[in-house]
C-alpha cells in the first residue's frame, strides 16, 4: 500500500485549465525574480552525464542513478542526473563568471528509488542555481543574505499568483526564521529530525535549518548530504556550530506538515572537500574528474542549490499532491485513492 496523506474535505481551488496557466505563471515569474535577485543568467543544463566522472550528484549516497549505454561511444555508460550541483560549478569555470554573478538552469531528473507519496515523485524538476563568491563571503552571514533574497523572490511570486487568482490566498510568513540543526535538536531532544522540522515550521511558518550533513551533539546528522558539494563541516564563527548549508522549509497547512522547498549551501573548498571525503570514507573520489579540478584550484568558490519547481507550484496553488502539478507515474492504489478524494493527478 502506497503512502498517502488524506486531507479532509479537500477541494482544488482551480479547474484544469486555470491550473495549467497558474503553473506557467509561477514558473515564469519565479525564475525572473530569482535571476534578478542573485544576478543569474540562464544556462542550458544536461539531462545526463558520463558515469565515472564524479559530476553527478550522489545525494545520500544510496540512490541508484538511471543508466544507459551509448551505442555510438562503444556502449560507454551515461547516468541521468540526480541534480546539477557539480556540473554548475564546472560551468561557472568554463564561462569565466565573476564573483557576484552566476547561472540558473532547469534541472529534470529521474529518481527511481524515491518513496512515492504526496510530495515525492519519480520525476524531479527544479531550478538549479550557482553563484560565484569570494573567500570573504564563505560565511554564515552571506548564506543568510542569499536565503533572504530567494525568500523575497518567493514572496513576490506568491503576490503575483494571488493577484491573478482571487481564490488563492497568501500563506507565506513575512520573513524566514533561521535555526541551526543542533539548536533544533536541543529544543526537541526526544523527536526525530522530521518531527523537529514539523514542529518548528508549524510554529514559524517558514524556516531555514542550518547545518545539514554534519554530526550533531548526539553524533548523528540531521539529514545526510553528499560530502563533495555543500560545506557542512566548517565551523561558522557567527554561532560556533558547523555548517554553511541548509534546507528551506515552509508549513503546508493542506497536508499538515513541513514542505522542503530548497536545499542549498556554500560549496566545499579544497580544505573542506578533503576533510569531508576523509570523514565519510570517500577518499577514492579524489581520482575523479570533478574532484581533481577542485583540488587543483580550477573551479571558483561558489554558493548554490536547488529549488523545487513542482513543490513551489504545489504550495502556492494549495495542492494536496505533487501529481496535481506535474506528470509522473503513480501506484494504482494511490491513483484510486486520489480519485476518491477529488485529487486529480495529471
Amino acid at each position: 500500500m502506497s503512502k498517502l496523506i488524506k486531507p479532509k474535505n479537500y477541494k482544488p481551488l482551480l479547474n484544469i485549465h486555470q491550473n495549467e496557466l497558474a503553473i506557467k505563471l509561477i514558473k515564469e515569474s519565479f525564475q525572473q525574480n530569482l535571476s534578478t535577485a542573485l544576478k543569474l543568467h540562464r544556462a542550458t543544463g544536461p539531462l545526463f552525464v558520463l558515469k565515472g566522472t564524479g559530476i553527478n550528484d550522489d545525494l545520500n549516497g544510496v540512490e541508484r542513478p538511471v543508466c544507459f549505454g551509448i551505442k555510438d561511444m562503444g556502449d560507454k555508460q551515461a547516468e541521468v542526473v540526480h541534480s546539477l550541483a557539480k556540473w554548475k560549478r564546472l560551468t561557472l569555470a568554463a564561462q569565466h563568471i565573476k564573483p557576484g554573478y552566476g547561472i540558473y538552469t532547469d534541472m529534470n531528473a529521474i529518481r527511481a528509488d524515491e518513496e512515492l507519496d504526496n510530495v515525492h515523485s519519480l520525476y524531479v524538476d527544479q531550478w538549479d542555481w550557482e553563484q560565484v563568491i569570494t573567500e570573504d563571503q564563505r560565511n554564515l552571514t552571506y548564506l543568510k543574505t542569499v536565503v533572504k533574497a530567494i525568500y523575497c523572490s518567493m514572496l513576490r511570486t506568491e503576490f503575483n499568483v494571488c493577484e491573478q487568482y482571487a481564490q488563492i490566498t497568501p500563506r507565506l510568513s513575512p520573513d524566514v526564521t533561521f535555526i541551526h540543526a543542533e539548536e533544533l535538536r536541543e529544543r526537541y531532544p526526544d523527536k526525530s529530525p522530521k518531527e523537529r522540522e514539523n514542529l518548528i515550521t508549524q510554529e514559524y511558518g517558514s524556516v531555514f535549518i542550518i547545518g545539514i550533513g554534519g554530526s550533531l551533539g548526539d553524533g548523528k546528522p540531521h539529514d545526510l548530504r553528499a560530502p563533495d558539494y555543500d560545506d557542512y563541516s566548517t565551523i561558522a564563527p557567527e554561532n560556533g556550530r558547523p555548517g554553511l548549508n541548509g534546507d528551506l522549509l515552509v508549513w503546508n497547512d493542506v497536508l499538515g506538515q513541513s514542505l522542503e522547498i530548497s536545499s542549498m549551501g556554500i560549496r566545499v573548498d579544497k580544505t573542506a572537500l578533503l576533510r569531508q571525503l576523509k570523514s565519510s570514507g570517500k577518499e577514492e573520489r579524489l581520482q575523479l574528474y570533478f574532484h581533481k579540478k577542485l583540488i587543483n584550484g580550477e573551479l571558483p568558490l561558489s554558493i548554490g542549490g536547488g529549488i523545487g519547481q513542482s513543490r513551489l507550484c504545489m504550495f502556492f496553488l494549495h495542492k494536496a499532491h505533487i501529481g496535481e502539478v506535474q506528470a509522473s507515474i503513480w501506484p494504482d492504489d494511490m491513483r484510486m485513492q486520489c480519485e476518491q478524494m477529488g485529487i486529480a493527478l495529471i
Side-chain angles (χ1 to χ4, degrees):
M1 182 67 68
S2 57
K3 298 178 181 178
L4 187 68
I5 297 174
K6 303 175 182 179
K8 293 181 179 180
N9 305 316
Y10 175 72
K11 185 178 180 180
L13 300 179
L14 304 177
N15 62 39
I16 295 175
H17 181 62
Q18 290 174 321
N19 194 57
E20 293 291 352
L21 291 175
I23 292 170
K24 180 175 182 289
L25 171 64
I26 291 168
K27 291 189 176 185
E28 290 179 349
S29 177
F30 181 77
Q31 69 181 7
Q32 182 59 55
N33 289 327
L34 178 70
S35 64
T36 300
L38 297 182
K39 299 179 182 177
L40 310 175
H41 72 255
R42 189 184 183 283
T44 300
L47 177 60
F48 40 82
V49 294
L50 284 175
K51 184 177 181 179
T53 59
I55 298 175
N56 203 358
D57 182 355
D58 296 293
L59 300 177
N60 294 334
V62 297
E63 295 87 349
R64 299 169 301 166
V66 175
C67 296
F68 61 92
I70 306 171
K71 180 180 178 181
D72 228 25
M73 296 176 66
D75 217 32
K76 187 175 289 188
Q77 292 291 299
E79 297 178 341
V80 175
V81 296
H82 277 147
S83 86
L84 297 175
K86 299 167 188 169
W87 174 87
K88 291 176 296 181
R89 204 163 172 185
L90 291 165
T91 302
L92 293 178
Q95 296 188 9
H96 306 288
I97 295 177
K98 297 179 180 179
Y101 296 86
I103 60 171
Y104 77 92
T105 187
D106 288 303
M107 192 285 299
N108 297 285
I110 301 171
R111 296 184 182 173
D113 290 338
E114 198 72 82
E115 294 185 9
L116 308 181
D117 56 28
N118 298 67
V119 300
H120 293 93
S121 172
L122 297 174
Y123 170 59
V124 178
D125 57 340
Q126 65 184 31
W127 291 284
D128 251 323
W129 63 273
E130 200 84 7
Q131 183 194 69
V132 179
I133 61 175
T134 65
E135 180 66 40
D136 292 341
Q137 290 173 320
R138 296 193 78 258
N139 56 63
L140 195 55
T141 298
Y142 191 69
L143 173 64
K144 290 181 177 180
T145 297
V146 172
V147 171
K148 290 176 182 177
I150 292 172
Y151 194 72
C152 285
S153 297
M154 291 169 59
L155 286 168
R156 292 189 187 98
T157 303
E158 185 181 52
F159 176 79
N160 290 342
V161 175
C162 294
E163 283 283 286
Q164 185 69 33
Y165 300 97
Q167 61 270 53
I168 303 291
T169 55
R171 292 187 297 165
L172 284 175
S173 57
D175 299 296
V176 58
T177 298
F178 293 89
I179 187 169
H180 194 280
E182 175 61 20
E183 183 182 347
L184 192 58
R185 186 193 70 83
E186 292 170 354
R187 183 181 294 204
Y188 307 113
D190 59 337
K191 303 296 184 182
S192 68
K194 183 59 181 177
E195 290 171 332
R196 295 171 205 157
E197 291 179 359
N198 285 336
L199 288 167
I200 198 69
T201 309
Q202 185 174 22
E203 180 177 353
Y204 290 103
S206 300
V207 179
F208 188 82
I209 301 176
I210 302 166
I212 307 293
S215 296
L216 304 179
D218 60 357
K220 303 174 183 178
H222 179 84
D223 199 359
L224 298 176
R225 282 293 183 275
D228 43 14
Y229 56 97
D230 281 353
D231 185 343
Y232 55 71
S233 59
T234 291
I235 299 296
E238 293 86 345
N239 62 10
R241 294 186 171 116
L244 292 174
N245 71 337
D247 290 344
L248 177 59
L249 311 175
V250 295
W251 180 250
N252 185 331
D253 53 9
V254 175
L255 299 179
Q257 65 176 21
S258 63
L259 178 67
E260 180 186 318
I261 296 294
S262 176
S263 175
M264 58 168 288
I266 290 173
R267 306 309 197 184
V268 291
D269 57 8
K270 176 181 178 179
T271 302
L273 176 66
L274 292 172
R275 178 173 58 245
Q276 292 179 184
L277 288 179
K278 182 177 181 180
S279 65
S280 62
K282 304 289 185 181
E283 290 178 284
E284 73 279 359
R285 295 187 185 181
L286 290 172
Q287 303 306 313
L288 299 175
Y289 173 77
F290 171 84
H291 303 71
K292 285 181 178 179
K293 291 186 77 69
L294 179 54
I295 292 297
N296 292 336
E298 298 174 40
L299 302 180
L301 300 175
S302 68
I303 182 173
I307 302 166
Q309 295 186 16
S310 289
R311 287 197 177 186
L312 205 60
C313 291
M314 178 186 178
F315 179 77
F316 285 153
L317 302 181
H318 303 200
K319 298 296 186 181
H321 198 289
I322 199 167
E324 295 178 271
V325 295
Q326 64 158 238
S328 187
I329 297 173
W330 306 100
D332 290 340
D333 66 298
M334 181 178 287
R335 282 196 170 274
M336 181 179 66
Q337 291 178 68
C338 285
E339 185 177 354
Q340 292 170 350
M341 291 185 291
I343 299 174
L345 301 182
I346 296 174

